[in-house]
Amino acid sequence: MKKLLYYASREIGRLYETEAIIHNYALCYALGLVDSKIYSTTVAEEDSYRYFCPEQVPKYEEHLTPLNQQGIYVTPARSLNHSSILNTWKYANNNYHVEMEKTQKNIPSFGRAKEIAPESKFEFFVISQKELKLSKWIRLGKWMSKAEVTVEQLPKPKITEGIFICTHPLNPLDVMFTNQVISYDVVNMPPVSLIQNVQMRGQYYQFEDIKELKLPVRMEYRFKG
């Protein structure tokens, strides 16, 4: 990342903290996978995301369901190495007459923000039925921080079944219908809290040269628990 990464994943009074995990919904938008002719994920005109959003209401189901239809799935991203910076700010207005208006980006007017520093590195996985060409540079967070995407193709996995532990963060809605989730740690993060260090029973991908990496099979975007 080339500048501070900020999004309020946790609010403690006037402290707005950026968790060192990037939600898989956010990654889908940042990677340009949503409502894309390139990836055959276009949506109905009334739900269009590419050109103009007439209302600030999330349409995750409408936007992400076409990815399921194309066999594309993106996991949340975890930090491989990162550091945080604490910034304090206050927005002031010197006018004698001030009308309270909503901010355009849902950014608080004063407080402290714990942000992810430049040069931090995150890892996520893209599972696809066909080869995808992803953008080399993407934008993340409220400040539209620039991040470089490095793609490494993994060897063909073997599908195994049984009890396993996935240390990579997961979206619980996307795995709970195809696997029996036994135990996990919760990462509070809107719009859907994530889970990590997950022990579960079911089918999973196992890679010969990366023994510690185990990912659930048949992950897809779901929106009702």
Side-chain angles (χ1 to χ4, degrees):
M1 288 183 299
K2 298 302 181 183
K3 69 175 183 178
L4 293 171
L5 173 62
Y6 166 71
Y7 46 86
S9 53
R10 184 183 297 111
E11 299 181 13
I12 308 171
R14 281 291 173 174
L15 172 63
Y16 303 88
E17 185 172 358
T18 303
E19 186 76 50
I21 291 179
I22 304 173
H23 206 288
N24 61 334
Y25 291 179
L27 283 171
C28 288
Y29 288 96
L31 290 166
L33 297 173
V34 172
D35 197 12
S36 167
K37 290 183 178 178
I38 296 172
Y39 303 112
S40 302
T41 59
T42 53
V43 301
E45 186 176 348
E46 63 267 22
D47 300 322
S48 178
Y49 179 78
R50 282 176 291 165
Y51 306 113
F52 173 68
C53 294
E55 54 185 354
Q56 297 298 314
V57 178
K59 293 188 174 184
Y60 300 122
E61 186 168 1
E62 292 83 355
H63 289 166
L64 299 178
T65 297
L67 274 70
N68 289 340
Q69 296 163 352
Q70 294 302 316
I72 300 171
Y73 185 81
V74 181
T75 72
R78 68 172 180 176
S79 165
L80 294 180
N81 60 73
H82 79 282
S83 56
S84 298
I85 295 176
L86 190 63
N87 284 324
T88 302
W89 79 93
K90 180 177 181 181
Y91 294 147
N93 190 320
N94 294 324
N95 297 337
Y96 290 104
H97 175 71
V98 179
E99 291 186 4
M100 297 298 292
E101 297 180 355
K102 280 189 174 181
T103 59
Q104 296 299 309
K105 291 189 176 182
N106 192 26
I107 299 171
S109 58
F110 69 92
R112 294 185 299 163
K114 187 178 179 182
E115 302 168 295
I116 305 296
E119 306 304 323
S120 297
K121 189 174 182 180
F122 289 76
E123 174 188 60
F124 62 94
F125 298 94
V126 178
I127 300 168
S128 177
Q129 300 302 312
K130 53 189 176 182
E131 188 172 345
L132 300 178
K133 186 174 182 181
L134 300 176
S135 300
K136 182 176 176 58
W137 298 97
I138 62 174
R139 300 280 180 178
L140 294 168
K142 298 288 188 184
W143 310 144
M144 298 297 286
S145 308
K146 189 176 182 181
E148 183 179 6
V149 177
T150 303
V151 177
E152 177 184 345
Q153 187 165 352
L154 293 174
K156 187 174 181 179
K158 180 176 74 171
I159 296 179
T160 307
E161 187 166 356
I163 294 177
F164 66 101
I165 294 177
C166 178
T167 56
H168 194 84
L170 300 171
N171 186 322
L173 288 180
D174 302 344
V175 299
M176 63 188 294
F177 295 97
T178 52
N179 295 270
Q180 179 190 354
V181 177
I182 300 170
S183 64
Y184 52 87
D185 297 327
V186 176
V187 181
N188 291 315
M189 180 175 288
V192 178
S193 289
L194 304 178
I195 54 177
Q196 60 183 357
N197 300 318
V198 187
Q199 184 184 45
M200 62 177 69
R201 184 196 305 272
Q203 290 187 324
Y204 59 95
Y205 294 115
Q206 189 165 26
F207 300 86
E208 187 174 342
D209 298 329
I210 319 172
K211 297 294 186 184
E212 68 279 5
L213 177 59
K214 295 173 179 154
L215 294 172
V217 173
R218 299 194 305 275
M219 286 188 288
E220 65 177 19
Y221 302 102
R222 295 178 183 267
F223 309 95
K224 294 179 177 66

